[in-house]
Amino acid sequence: MNDQALIPDFLNKIKASGLPNHSLRLKIGCHVMLLRNIDLIGGLMNGTRLQITEMYDFMIKAKVITGEKVSRIVFLPRLSITPSDKKLPFKMRRRQLRIDVAFHITINKSQGRSLSEVGLFLPKHVFSHRQLYVAISRVTSKKRLKILIVDSEVKPQRQTMNVVLKEIFANL
């Protein structure tokens, strides 16, 4: 392998399965989401949302804002991450925080949660059986539900399709 290819700029641009982005801009008060299970008993699981309270060179201090451990203060260190992508011609490991900024969550991550406000942005049809129901049913009051449906030209629409695969029901 060419040593020139292994310069930091090249390595930092690699996007591989199981590897968060190299650059992450954070500030105190920012909401983040854990990307991996860290401490199941302590409530630090994939999808847990936190609010950053302090930042250090190699870790952050944060307050848990979802789940059973709400208000608990935790320290999240940088952890070694090895990409699961076998296509890389070399072994790679990064030391990173296993978090991402959480301005939004996917429909799948919202399942099982009650949310005080929900905004849905639907640039295309919901692609999975019952996914639209899951998204809409997360909000505790319909007054706090906002839905924006747009077509391929980003023009607002009044309806969407809850895609249901008929093959699912073929053998019932």
Side-chain angles (χ1 to χ4, degrees):
M1 166 139 286
N2 180 350
D3 288 339
Q4 292 295 327
L6 298 178
I7 60 174
D9 287 342
F10 169 75
L11 295 173
N12 293 342
K13 291 179 184 175
I14 291 176
K15 299 209 183 270
S17 177
L19 196 63
N21 291 333
H22 164 72
S23 180
L24 185 63
R25 296 182 69 175
L26 303 170
K27 66 180 188 175
I28 293 175
C30 181
H31 288 210
V32 295
M33 182 183 302
L34 286 178
L35 300 176
R36 296 281 187 270
N37 292 336
I38 296 176
D39 177 10
L40 298 177
I41 294 169
L44 298 178
M45 300 169 280
N46 182 16
T48 300
R49 292 182 55 221
L50 308 117
Q51 183 176 23
I52 296 175
T53 57
E54 294 180 38
M55 295 190 298
Y56 305 99
D57 289 338
F58 300 104
M59 75 172 77
I60 62 170
K61 182 179 176 182
K63 179 172 70 171
V64 177
I65 57 175
T66 61
E68 295 177 10
K69 307 292 183 178
V70 171
S71 298
R72 180 174 174 232
I73 302 298
V74 297
F75 289 91
L76 298 174
R78 292 189 322 170
L79 300 170
S80 292
I81 304 170
T82 303
S84 55
D85 191 343
K86 303 293 183 206
K87 296 175 188 170
L88 291 174
F90 52 87
K91 290 191 177 195
M92 179 174 161
R93 187 171 62 190
R94 283 187 185 159
R95 290 187 57 76
Q96 289 181 269
L97 295 166
R98 293 192 170 199
I99 59 173
D100 201 359
V101 177
F103 295 114
H104 65 279
I105 59 176
T106 64
I107 292 172
N108 291 337
K109 292 262 190 215
S110 75
Q111 194 157 2
R113 298 174 192 251
S114 292
L115 304 170
S116 59
E117 296 182 55
V118 171
L120 289 176
F121 175 60
L122 301 174
K124 52 188 167 186
H125 297 304
V126 178
F127 66 90
S128 181
H129 182 66
R130 290 182 46 112
Q131 211 170 22
L132 186 59
Y133 165 77
V134 168
I136 291 172
S137 66
R138 299 304 93 202
V139 69
T140 55
S141 165
K142 72 179 186 179
K143 291 179 182 176
R144 299 209 175 237
L145 173 65
K146 303 290 184 207
I147 302 173
L148 176 59
I149 304 166
V150 295
D151 62 15
S152 59
E153 297 168 358
V154 196
K155 292 182 182 170
Q157 301 296 304
R158 296 187 58 80
Q159 64 186 25
T160 190
M161 185 185 332
N162 188 19
V163 176
V164 176
L165 302 175
K166 292 180 180 165
E167 303 88 63
I168 294 172
F169 303 107
N171 295 323
L172 293 178

